[in-house]
Amino acid sequence: MNAFSIRGLLVAASLALAVPAGAETLTLSTPDADTSEITLAAKHFAEVVKQKTNGELEIKVFPNGTLYGGDPSAGVKQLAGGSLDMLLNATSLYATFNPKFTAIAVPYLFDGTDQLRAYLDSELGEELRGDLSKIGIVGLDLWSRPLRQITNSKRPITSPDDLKGLKLRVPNNPLWVKFFGAMGAAPTPMAFAEVYNALQLGVVDGQENPVNVPVSARLYEVQKYLTISNHIADAWVLGMNPRRYQALPDKFKTALAEAAKETEDWKAKADAADIAASIATLEKNGMKTNELSPEQRAGFVAVSKSLYPVFEALVKDPSFFQRTTSFAGKS
């Protein structure tokens, strides 16, 4: 049992305790399985809030996008509209609503999650969080994710040429399409809820995500090769409906803010501890792993660098793009 699973069981057990009569209740929706890192982090967040409010504020976590029918874009719209209280979803999704979020995903921009976390906590991260108000969402916090890796059913990936002809599921974000398309892959935007069946049926050959995702989604049943490429960073938006937020007393708002920060730190540590365990689980279930050497990685970095003018255009804010690449030392 990995670190996330153990913590998840402890959190689930504590959440089962009775809450005081008349307690305020909020729902929090996540896109992934009950055992996924983001749902376990959501449950941890809920428990911290409960502790900080002496049980006066309860957050009920709903995984697998069940509250919004598995349609991530619909989830964001429902959050803004008020039919969802709280939502955790990826910054790559929010780029559909605010292209500035695309800047986080510029391939090989961040050297690791420590640098990504520093960025999310910087003035640039605060600017992104504040911009959520323009689409009718309160941004409580931005949480880091592990860097993304590639899995597929065809062959090991050691160079951009190995991606040629590979049908690769990607998020519904044009940056992914441009990057993988430039290497000759056939990038296929698709909601994650559809990915397992698409891989099983051969509609797509592979996908890319943090390495814990193919574990929680059991993609090892339909994938053979794992490439540790660390190619793209991503993050989670912890968003809330403004009307629900404004209706809360100040002590609850303070508890939410403090719990969000504490959970981000808890999650980052759990993510780091879980990477080796996730790789071991995938290998135990028959997947073959290769990690890009510095020389192999350079080929992918060169593709990304050549696309900077394209990425800047996708961000639609040259100043923000340049400030982001400068922060990461990749101008």
Side-chain angles (χ1 to χ4, degrees):
M1 184 175 289
N2 63 28
F4 280 122
S5 298
I6 295 170
R7 289 175 173 83
L9 289 172
L10 292 174
V11 169
S14 58
L15 282 174
L17 298 175
V19 297
E24 182 84 22
T25 301
L26 298 171
T27 60
L28 172 54
S29 189
T30 73
D32 295 341
D34 202 58
T35 56
S36 66
E37 49 95 6
I38 192 55
T39 302
L40 294 175
K43 291 178 180 180
H44 181 88
F45 170 72
E47 176 60 19
V48 176
V49 169
K50 182 178 176 180
Q51 292 171 355
K52 287 182 176 292
T53 62
N54 296 314
E56 294 179 0
L57 179 58
E58 181 185 18
I59 297 175
K60 294 184 177 180
V61 177
F62 292 83
N64 285 317
T66 52
L67 295 188
Y68 54 85
D71 181 344
S73 293
V76 174
K77 294 173 184 175
Q78 290 173 32
L79 180 65
S83 57
L84 292 180
D85 294 338
M86 303 178 73
L87 175 68
L88 275 162
N89 225 315
T91 51
S92 56
L93 167 67
Y94 277 87
T96 303
F97 302 90
N98 178 2
K100 284 168 65 176
F101 277 98
T102 303
I104 294 174
V106 170
Y108 296 101
L109 177 65
F110 296 108
D111 296 327
T113 51
D114 286 346
Q115 190 181 35
L116 170 62
R117 292 181 70 203
Y119 175 83
L120 297 175
D121 200 38
S122 73
E123 291 182 0
L124 294 164
E126 286 298 302
E127 185 174 331
L128 287 173
R129 192 162 66 90
D131 279 353
L132 290 166
S133 64
K134 297 176 183 178
I135 58 172
I137 290 171
V138 173
L140 293 177
D141 206 3
L142 301 176
W143 295 350
S144 65
R145 300 184 76 179
L147 298 180
R148 300 173 79 94
Q149 322 300 346
I150 302 169
T151 70
N152 81 97
S153 59
K154 299 295 185 183
R155 53 186 172 270
I157 305 300
T158 60
S159 73
D161 284 346
D162 291 327
L163 286 164
K164 285 183 178 177
L166 202 69
K167 295 176 290 184
L168 192 71
R169 178 271 172 182
V170 296
N172 187 20
N173 184 304
L175 180 142
W176 270 257
V177 174
K178 295 291 186 182
F179 179 57
F180 285 105
M183 293 180 286
T188 307
M190 181 184 297
F192 189 74
E194 303 171 19
V195 170
Y196 185 97
N197 286 342
L199 291 168
Q200 187 176 42
L201 297 172
V203 175
V204 291
D205 303 313
Q207 61 85 55
E208 51 77 60
N209 258 304
V211 74
N212 47 51
V213 173
V215 174
S216 62
R218 302 179 66 89
L219 298 188
Y220 48 78
E221 296 175 345
V222 288
Q223 297 280 265
K224 186 174 181 180
Y225 300 100
L226 166 67
T227 298
I228 305 300
S229 51
N230 293 319
H231 56 278
I232 283 177
D234 200 3
W236 295 105
V237 173
L238 176 60
M240 186 168 180
N241 174 262
R243 288 185 295 279
R244 288 291 274 155
Y245 180 78
Q246 294 303 334
L248 295 176
D250 288 343
K251 64 179 182 179
F252 286 179
K253 293 176 184 176
T254 298
L256 289 172
E258 291 177 352
K261 288 297 181 187
E262 291 175 20
T263 300
E264 192 283 330
D265 184 65
W266 172 90
K267 180 183 179 302
K269 292 174 181 175
D271 284 342
D274 194 66
I275 288 174
S278 290
I279 293 172
T281 297
L282 296 178
E283 291 179 338
K284 181 181 178 181
N285 283 277
M287 292 190 68
K288 298 178 180 179
T289 303
N290 70 287
E291 181 171 359
L292 296 180
S293 69
E295 294 77 17
Q296 291 169 340
R297 187 173 180 271
F300 294 86
V301 172
V303 173
S304 175
K305 199 71 174 178
S306 73
L307 292 171
Y308 268 28
V310 175
F311 298 152
E312 182 175 325
L314 291 174
V315 172
K316 296 184 179 179
D317 186 328
S319 171
F320 190 79
F321 179 85
Q322 290 159 15
R323 284 182 286 140
T324 294
T325 55
S326 177
F327 179 95
K330 303 297 194 310
S331 296

